[in-house]
Amino acid sequence: MLGFIAVNHLVVRFHEQEKALGRRLYALAQAEQSAGRVDRAIPYLRAAISYSRDNPQYQLGLARALRDTGRTDEAESYLIRLW
């Protein structure tokens, strides 16, 4: 029983760290976009999504960045998933 509790605690901490990393990566993407470097924001947004797959804000941000760089087919696929 104690082992189960310990493993559960580790899993919860791992997921919290993943979400925190996603937030940091999203913040880096926003900084790149604010500086007019939308193309450089895309890898950060993709990485943020990989750490927090359920966050629609990250997916919408990626769709907008893809749209802004002319990659409308990719942007459309993200927008359809969000819809």
Side-chain angles (χ1 to χ4, degrees):
M1 180 70 172
L2 186 59
F4 176 76
I5 293 170
V7 169
N8 186 52
H9 177 71
L10 289 173
V11 169
V12 168
R13 286 193 58 203
F14 176 75
H15 288 299
E16 288 171 358
Q17 288 178 343
E18 279 187 320
K19 287 181 182 182
L21 184 53
R23 286 190 300 271
R24 285 193 295 270
L25 290 163
Y26 184 72
L28 289 170
Q30 287 183 312
E32 292 291 353
Q33 287 176 312
S34 294
R37 297 183 296 261
V38 178
D39 57 322
R40 291 179 61 181
I42 292 172
Y44 290 124
L45 290 163
R46 289 187 194 280
I49 290 170
S50 73
Y51 287 108
S52 188
R53 287 177 179 77
D54 298 334
N55 191 317
Q57 182 181 18
Y58 299 170
Q59 293 177 20
L60 183 58
L62 178 57
R64 287 178 175 160
L66 290 167
R67 177 203 61 202
D68 293 347
T69 57
R71 295 151 84 175
T72 55
D73 290 340
E74 284 182 84
E76 183 179 1
S77 70
Y78 280 96
L79 291 172
I80 289 171
R81 271 188 248 160
L82 284 170
W83 184 50

